[in-house]
Amino acid sequence: MSPLSITRTLPADATAAALRADVADGLARTPKQLPPKWFYDARGSELFEDITKLPEYYPTRAEREILLTRAAHIAAATQARTLVELGSGSSDKTRHLIGALTGLDSYVPIDVSESALAAAGEALLTEHPGLTVHALVADFQHGLRLPDTPGPRLLAFLGGTIGNLLPEERAAFLRSVHAMLSPGDALLLGTDLVKDEATLVAAYDDAQGVTAEFNKNVLHVINRELDGDFDPADFDHVALWNAEQQWIEMRLRARTDLTVKIPEVDLAVSFAAGEEVRTEVSAKFREDGVRAELAAAGLELTQWWTDSADRFALSLAVR
Ligand code: AVJ
């Protein structure tokens, strides 16, 4: 059997149908909103890679520091023979962890981007020829079925991406993780931490404007996929700290009264000057909150590791 297999669990037209539904639903709401998953076409994925290198955007560096210093401890604590990674992308986050998991037999990267999975799978097999890679083209929030690989399994959900889920979505996701794990398996969860507002806002509104470009990219995706006529120049990038919800919000604010036509979903969407569409939330966490959310899903927090500047945390949890 080939050491690299790619299974498509998303029907071919799933993406187009899901985008149409999200746009029709989200832009009809008050306030308007769009799910952040639509940022990540090829251009959006490239812009996010650029964001991870920005001086203001600390999460990627902070998480990498923890992974580098704690990889051996994670390997010893889990004895994982399968590593499943949700939202694996380029798999950069887990390269070092894979090297530390000496008993690893299988790697199961899961992402919506087939091209990212293929590239990452090929690269990893070059570095780890004995590994078997079962790549899944899937949306981890809906109907995920893991391939049958040797246990114990370590399920990694890194980058702080769990912060993109609203509280009720997070609870449902963690319950689905509990259902996927067998006794002896573990979850490795990356969470950005609550900190001063200035640091948080700067990380989502960098001086070079890369995040602004990333935020506006969702307008390009809608224009291309749904024949919309958004003019990104009509919108300003907004990043704000919602202290009540403990999350960063990214929004796009209309500069003038305007109407956008999106014929693929029979929409003509009006924006009043100053009206905003929320394009992402990125929740920030504290240890006791993570412990409680895991416990509510039947998962026990067994390790809480932070970087040396206490900006980001990795949690290890078991059933
Ligand atoms: C990839 C979802 C973890 O929320 O920090 C980066 C995406 N948005 N800059 C985050 C993002 C704006 C990032 N996640």
Side-chain angles (χ1 to χ4, degrees):
M1 182 179 87
S2 158
L4 170 59
S5 67
I6 299 187
T7 307
R8 293 160 198 76
T9 64
L10 291 172
D13 67 347
T15 303
L19 175 59
R20 279 198 299 275
D22 283 345
V23 168
D25 171 68
L27 295 185
R29 287 174 181 241
T30 304
K32 296 177 172 70
Q33 63 185 46
L34 291 167
K37 65 190 281 192
W38 302 114
F39 285 135
Y40 300 92
D41 63 349
R43 172 96 177 105
S45 301
E46 193 183 292
L47 284 166
F48 176 63
E49 287 303 312
D50 295 343
I51 285 171
T52 65
K53 301 178 179 71
L54 288 169
E56 300 96 329
Y57 190 77
Y58 59 84
T60 308
R61 285 188 295 279
E63 184 176 65
R64 183 178 301 122
E65 178 195 314
I66 308 170
L67 281 169
L68 287 172
T69 54
R70 301 297 181 180
H73 192 151
I74 295 166
T78 61
Q79 303 290 311
R81 296 193 58 212
T82 292
L83 173 64
V84 178
E85 188 177 6
L86 303 179
S88 53
S90 60
S91 297
D92 279 353
K93 297 189 283 285
T94 39
R95 260 182 173 66
H96 188 81
L97 181 56
I98 288 171
L101 294 172
T102 47
L104 198 65
D105 173 278
S106 299
Y107 174 54
V108 183
I110 299 169
D111 202 284
V112 288
S113 163
E114 181 165 349
S115 57
L117 285 169
E122 300 289 347
L124 276 169
L125 283 173
T126 308
E127 293 161 33
H128 304 279
L131 203 55
T132 301
V133 177
H134 303 260
L136 290 188
V137 184
D139 176 348
F140 61 77
Q141 277 190 269
H142 301 296
L144 194 56
R145 280 186 49 70
L146 296 180
D148 189 14
T149 57
R153 291 179 300 178
L154 174 58
L155 187 67
F157 188 39
L158 303 176
T161 301
I162 190 165
N164 273 178
L165 304 185
L166 298 172
E168 61 278 10
E169 293 172 321
R170 291 204 303 267
F173 167 72
L174 289 173
R175 285 195 298 273
S176 75
V177 167
H178 181 269
M180 276 189 269
L181 296 182
S182 305
D185 293 346
L187 166 69
L188 184 66
L189 179 66
T191 50
D192 196 7
L193 301 181
V194 174
K195 55 182 71 64
D196 66 288
E197 181 171 354
T199 301
L200 286 170
V201 171
Y204 292 85
D205 191 9
D206 63 283
Q208 296 171 59
V210 179
T211 307
E213 189 67 26
F214 173 75
N215 195 10
K216 293 189 181 187
N217 187 58
V218 68
L219 305 181
H220 293 287
V221 171
I222 294 173
N223 285 351
R224 183 182 65 243
E225 299 299 327
L226 303 183
D227 199 21
D229 66 357
F230 277 102
D231 178 352
D234 285 341
F235 291 84
D236 286 316
H237 167 66
V238 174
L240 57 88
W241 172 239
N242 182 327
E244 185 199 344
Q245 295 286 359
Q246 298 279 285
W247 66 40
I248 281 282
E249 287 190 19
M250 287 208 312
R251 302 175 182 177
L252 291 171
R253 179 183 293 149
R255 287 182 179 161
T256 62
D257 293 355
L258 56 93
T259 299
V260 178
K261 289 189 243 3
I262 311 176
E264 281 289 305
V265 287
D266 288 332
L267 271 184
V269 187
S270 296
F271 288 80
E275 185 180 350
E276 297 168 336
V277 48
R278 191 184 75 191
T279 54
E280 182 182 67
V281 301
S282 191
K284 308 306 172 186
F285 295 88
R286 290 186 172 85
E287 180 176 358
D288 53 0
V290 172
R291 186 181 302 280
E293 291 194 34
L294 289 168
L299 297 165
E300 181 195 353
L301 175 63
T302 55
Q303 293 287 352
W304 172 267
W305 294 300
T306 61
D307 64 296
S308 50
D310 224 13
R311 295 165 295 181
F312 195 93
L314 275 190
S315 295
L316 197 61
V318 296
R319 271 187 58 134

